[in-house]
């Protein structure tokens, strides 16, 4: 049995869970919003004593592989609609700037033009800059996968270079630095 898949998912107060067996869709509603996920037709999902339990039908390799996946997806949905997810990125470099107007993110990253990125409406984006500090881009929302995807897209616009450390990185991320040229003797 899958170590991850067999764990029950605790349902917090204020969160409702429904599983429609007709179309195999899981719906989780909470104070932060509502998320839906399609599940393989073979799997059964039940609500037992306030916990969500995912049952796999057989011991086939495919079912074993999907068991932990579906449990993790549902657990992420429950956490997303109850507490939400937050990801912060730091823009490091001389003259690098980040501003947000609504769901448009305007980035000045040392290119000849500024990069304007449209963030999906499901997410909230905030760009802050304090005097003497690097700009911080904060993404908030209920969908963990969507936040990770948008954060990776923003990070890919100017990846961190290893010599000076300039670029966009996650807050708290360690970047291994390289030494520059050795002086000739």
């Amino acid at each position: 049995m899958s170590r991850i898949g067999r764990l029950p998912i605790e349902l917090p107060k204020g969160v409702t869970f429904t599983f429609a067996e007709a179309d195999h869709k899981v719906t989780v509603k909470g104070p932060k919003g509502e998320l839906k996920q399609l599940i393989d037709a073979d799997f059964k999902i039940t609500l037992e004593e306030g916990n969500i339990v995912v049952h796999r039908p057989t011991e086939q390799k495919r079912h074993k592989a999907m068991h932990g996946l579906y449990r993790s997806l549902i657990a992420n949905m429950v956490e997303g609609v109850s507490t939400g997810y937050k990801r912060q990125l730091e823009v490091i470099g001389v003259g690098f700037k980040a501003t947000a107007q609504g769901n448009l993110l305007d980035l000045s990253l040392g290119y000849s033009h500024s990069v304007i990125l449209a963030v999906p409406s499901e997410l909230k984006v905030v760009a802050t800059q304090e005097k003497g500090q690097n700009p911080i881009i904060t993404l908030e929302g209920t969908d963990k996968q969507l936040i990770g995807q948008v954060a990776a897209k923003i990070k890919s616009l100017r990846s961190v270079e290893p010599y000076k450390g300039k670029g966009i990185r996650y807050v708290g991320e360690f970047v291994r630095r390289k030494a520059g040229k050795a002086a000739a003797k």
Side-chain angles (χ1 to χ4, degrees), residues 2 43 56 58-68:
S2 168
F43 285 82
R56 73 170 177 238
T58 66
E59 294 294 316
Q60 289 179 11
K61 190 172 184 177
R62 183 178 70 85
H63 288 150
K64 285 181 178 182
M66 301 301 252
H67 191 199

Side-chain angles (χ1 to χ4, degrees), residues 109-120:
L109 300 172
Y111 298 124
S112 62
H113 58 285
S114 62
V115 178
I116 298 175
L117 185 72
V119 178

Side-chain angles (χ1 to χ4, degrees), residues 10-42:
E10 189 176 329
L11 207 59
K13 290 186 179 177
V15 176
T16 59
F17 164 81
T18 55
F19 176 59
E21 290 192 38
D23 56 355
H24 310 290
K25 189 179 283 189
V26 172
T27 306
V28 181
K29 290 182 188 175
K32 298 263 183 182
E34 175 182 353
L35 293 173
K36 296 179 182 185
Q37 176 69 44
L38 287 174
I39 302 292
D40 191 334
D42 297 338

Side-chain angles (χ1 to χ4, degrees), residues 120-177:
S121 60
E122 295 90 8
L123 300 181
K124 180 183 169 197
V125 63
V126 177
T128 59
Q129 180 167 5
E130 296 177 19
K131 188 167 180 122
Q133 299 291 325
N134 294 319
I136 303 277
I137 301 167
T138 306
L139 295 168
E140 292 183 46
T142 57
D143 192 352
K144 185 176 186 177
Q145 185 271 333
L146 185 62
I147 286 181
Q149 182 180 352
V150 172
K153 175 66 178 165
I154 293 171
K155 193 176 171 200
S156 73
L157 294 174
R158 187 66 150 190
S159 55
V160 179
E161 56 95 16
Y163 296 102
K164 292 184 179 179
K166 292 173 20 176
I168 302 174
R169 67 175 81 173
Y170 298 120
V171 170
E173 178 185 2
F174 174 75
V175 175
R176 190 167 158 259
R177 301 283 296 271

